[in-house]
Amino acid sequence: MPSGEGSICGGEATILIDAHPGDHAEVFQSVKKSLDQRQPGVLATFITRDSEGQVSLARHWVVNAVDSGMPHAKFAQEIEKSLAENKPNLLKIEKGILLYLEPIYPLPHLIIVGAGHIGQALSRSEGHTSELQSHSFISYAVFCLKKKNILLFL
C-alpha cells in the first residue's frame, strides 16, 4: 500500500467474502434449527489458504464445544469464551489457517401485555426499551429488551 493510504487507526482489516455460501447450506440449516429452538451457538469457520493462494472454508455449527465433534476440538475453551462474551474471535492456528468464531444468539422477544392504548404506543415507539425501564410502564409490560419481535395483546 502506498504511503499515507493505511487505516487511520493503524490497524488492519480482513474481509472474507464467501463466493459459495450454498456449499455450507447444511450448516446454515443447523444454525436456523438451533435459533428456532432458542439455542445459541458459535459458527466456527476454518479459513485455509494454500501455497497457491487459494482460499477454502470449512464451517461448523457448535452448540456445545465439548461435544462438538468438530475438527480441532482443542479450541473448545476459545469457543466457550466467544459464546460467553458474545464476541467474535479470529484465531491464527498456524501458517495459512485461521479460525473465525462467530457467536450467534436467538433474537430476544418483546411481549407487551395489557393496557391496549399504551401497548400500541409502546410497540410503535423507537425508544421503547428505555421507556419500558421507567417505573411508570412496568405495570403495563413484561419485556426482554428488543423491539423487532413484538407480540401485542389487546
Side-chain angles (χ1 to χ4, degrees):
M1 190 178 317
S3 178
E5 292 187 24
S7 59
I8 59 174
C9 67
E12 68 178 54
T14 301
I15 300 172
L16 174 67
I17 299 173
D18 186 354
H20 304 284
D23 291 352
H24 300 101
E26 190 174 308
V27 174
F28 294 126
Q29 287 297 323
S30 295
V31 172
K32 182 185 180 320
K33 182 179 175 184
S34 290
L35 295 178
D36 287 347
Q37 296 171 353
R38 316 254 342 119
Q39 175 69 48
V42 173
L43 183 61
T45 304
F46 287 92
I47 306 161
T48 306
R49 181 184 304 259
D50 66 19
S51 60
E52 297 170 6
Q54 293 293 317
V55 175
S56 63
L57 303 177
R59 288 200 167 107
H60 304 272
W61 176 242
V62 182
V63 174
N64 182 341
V66 176
D67 298 327
S68 69
M70 184 182 84
H72 299 77
K74 64 183 177 182
F75 302 108
Q77 184 175 359
E78 288 88 351
I79 291 168
E80 291 295 330
K81 179 180 177 186
S82 185
L83 189 60
E85 294 177 356
N86 194 17
K87 290 183 181 178
N89 193 3
L90 182 63
L91 305 172
K92 294 181 182 180
I93 298 172
E94 58 187 60
K95 185 176 179 174
I97 301 176
L98 301 172
L99 174 57
Y100 182 63
L101 302 173
E102 181 180 5
I104 301 175
Y105 282 82
L107 292 175
H109 290 281
L110 169 66
I111 301 171
I112 300 172
V113 181
H117 62 286
I118 292 174
Q120 285 179 329
L122 287 174
S123 69
R124 289 190 299 266
S125 171
E126 285 298 316
H128 78 273
T129 53
S130 61
E131 291 173 18
L132 284 173
Q133 290 175 355
S134 75
H135 294 289
S136 61
F137 288 106
I138 296 299
S139 62
Y140 301 117
V142 177
F143 61 98
C144 295
L145 295 180
K146 205 63 169 180
K147 70 179 180 184
K148 294 301 178 192
N149 293 329
I150 298 176
L151 301 173
L152 180 62
F153 299 97
L154 300 175

